[in-house]
């Protein structure tokens, strides 16, 4: 693996030397008792960044999402999201299994959300129909090729939620990318949502960790939900320290990942496989019209020294991240063009 250029995901990064030092020297305590000062500092920092009262450290993005959804959707009630949303695609049915949440989806359009369509889907109380309680969006959108939902769209969705008395949740695993790509302050995003989940290990280079962000009342309830789901952690400041280091050192540099993704997109575009515009660090590929299917493409790319992610029979993706250099991207473009030309 050491000689391979890994474009599968931005979760494959390894802690930097500075991050490892921060982890090794972190002050710790028992976080289940609320006594880990490094965790407390991370939670306070993230809450402030998004303009909310509180935040809660969780081990994974999926757990953070599911905690947040349980805060805003009662058992048996409904969540609206898109058909490719992470919360209903990659979290193993957790909304139903853990939260008893019913979900209904609008067609998968990535970041191109139509607020009027979402509004038309809302079901009110009565007539034994399942009432809608919350809307969830993903910023940036994973299966939508790293697309960024425009700020005016999010503002309109906030209006829709308010008009119908609904909560608005953001799966913000890669919201840092949206912040860098569009220049929208994090607190501007934060003020639009009742709850957010934000990830430290997708793009920012931490080995683990996400946070639930919301009001003090919601986060107090979130602590109980986290414990119920097995997410209570003890001297976890060693991991929170990695997150704090990532926030201090790895946010603004995401622009480098975006530029490298653009180079990859430019290289593969002549082969007719680019599935959409590249705004952040994800390059979506559609191999429908190419002789190779996704698995064949991945195998051929690996033989050329590049790892790619297979998403479907004819879909794949390339993802740039902290561990890649400009030289690695140059070698990757050469290998991928050779693969696609063969």
């Amino acid at each position: 693996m050491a000689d391979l250029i890994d474009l599968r995901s931005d979760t494959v990064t390894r802690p930097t030397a500075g991050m490892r030092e921060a982890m090794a020297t972190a002050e710790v305590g028992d976080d289940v008792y609320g006594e880990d000062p490094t965790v407390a500092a991370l939670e306070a920092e993230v809450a402030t960044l998004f303009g909310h009262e509180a935040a809660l450290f969780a081990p994974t993005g999926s757990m953070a999402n599911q905690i947040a959804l349980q805060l805003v959707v009662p058992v048996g009630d409904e969540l609206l999201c898109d058909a490719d949303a992470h919360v209903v695609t990659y979290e193993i049915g957790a909304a139903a299994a853990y939260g008893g949440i019913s979900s209904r989806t609008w067609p998968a359009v990535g970041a191109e959300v139509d607020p009027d369509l979402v509004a038309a889907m809302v079901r009110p109380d009565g007539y034994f129909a399942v009432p809608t309680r919350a809307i969830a969006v993903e910023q940036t959108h994973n299966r939508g090729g790293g697309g960024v939902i425009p700020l005016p769209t999010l503002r309109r969705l906030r209006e829709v939620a308010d008009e119908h008395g609904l909560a608005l949740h953001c799966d913000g695993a890669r919201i840092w990318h949206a912040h860098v790509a569009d220049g929208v302050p994090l607190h501007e995003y934060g003020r639009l949502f009742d709850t957010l989940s934000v990830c430290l290990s997708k793009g920012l280079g931490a080995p683990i960790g996400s946070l639930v962000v919301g009001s003090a009342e919601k986060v107090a309830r979130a602590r109980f939900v986290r414990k119920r789901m097995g997410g209570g952690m003890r001297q976890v400041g060693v991991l929170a320290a990695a997150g704090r280091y990532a926030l201090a050192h790895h946010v603004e540099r995401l622009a480098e990942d975006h530029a490298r993704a653009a180079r990859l997109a430019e290289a593969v575009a002549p082969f007719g496989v680019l599935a959409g515009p590249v705004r952040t660090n994800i390059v979506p590929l559609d191999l429908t019209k190419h002789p190779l299917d996704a698995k064949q493409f991945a195998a051929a790319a690996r033989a050329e020294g590049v790892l790619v992610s297979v998403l479907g029979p004819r879909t794949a993706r390339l993802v740039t991240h902290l561990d890649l250099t400009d030289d690695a991207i140059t070698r990757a473009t050469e290998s991928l063009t050779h693969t696609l030309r063969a």
Side-chain angles (χ1 to χ4, degrees), residues 73-87:
V73 184
V75 172
D77 289 354
E78 181 179 80
L79 170 74
L80 296 181
C81 61
D82 81 270
D84 269 348
H86 195 283
V87 295

Side-chain angles (χ1 to χ4, degrees), residues 1-5 305 331:
M1 296 287 286
D3 295 329
L4 295 172
I5 299 169
R331 290 187 288 124

Side-chain angles (χ1 to χ4, degrees), residues 32-165:
V32 172
Y33 286 109
E35 296 174 355
D36 192 304
T38 307
V39 173
L42 172 65
E43 291 170 340
E45 179 180 1
V46 171
T48 299
L49 284 174
F50 287 93
H52 276 267
E53 293 177 329
L56 178 72
F57 189 50
T60 72
S62 291
M63 183 178 286
N65 269 331
Q66 295 305 321
I67 290 171
L69 294 182
Q70 290 178 57
L71 297 178
V72 296
V73 184
V75 172
D77 289 354
E78 181 179 80
L79 170 74
L80 296 181
C81 61
D82 81 270
D84 269 348
H86 195 283
V87 295
V88 293
T89 303
Y90 291 123
E91 299 184 12
I92 323 296
Y98 289 112
I101 296 170
S102 178
S103 57
R104 195 155 46 95
T105 61
W106 61 82
V109 290
E112 302 300 318
V113 183
D114 180 353
D116 293 331
L117 172 63
V118 177
M121 293 178 65
V122 175
R123 285 177 176 157
D125 280 305
Y127 306 104
F128 299 103
V130 179
T132 306
R133 298 302 186 195
I135 301 165
V137 294
E138 190 173 328
Q139 180 78 310
T140 62
H141 201 293
N142 179 10
R143 288 183 64 86
V148 181
I149 303 175
L151 187 60
T153 299
L154 295 175
R155 286 173 173 160
R156 177 58 187 139
L157 285 170
R158 178 72 264 173
E159 292 174 356
V160 169
D162 290 342
E163 289 165 6
H164 294 277

Side-chain angles (χ1 to χ4, degrees), residues 263-274 283-285 318 336-337 340:
R263 288 182 58 196
L264 290 171
E266 184 180 5
V268 302
F271 299 95
V273 298
L274 191 60
V283 182
L285 303 180
L318 316 172
L336 291 171
T337 53
L340 291 167

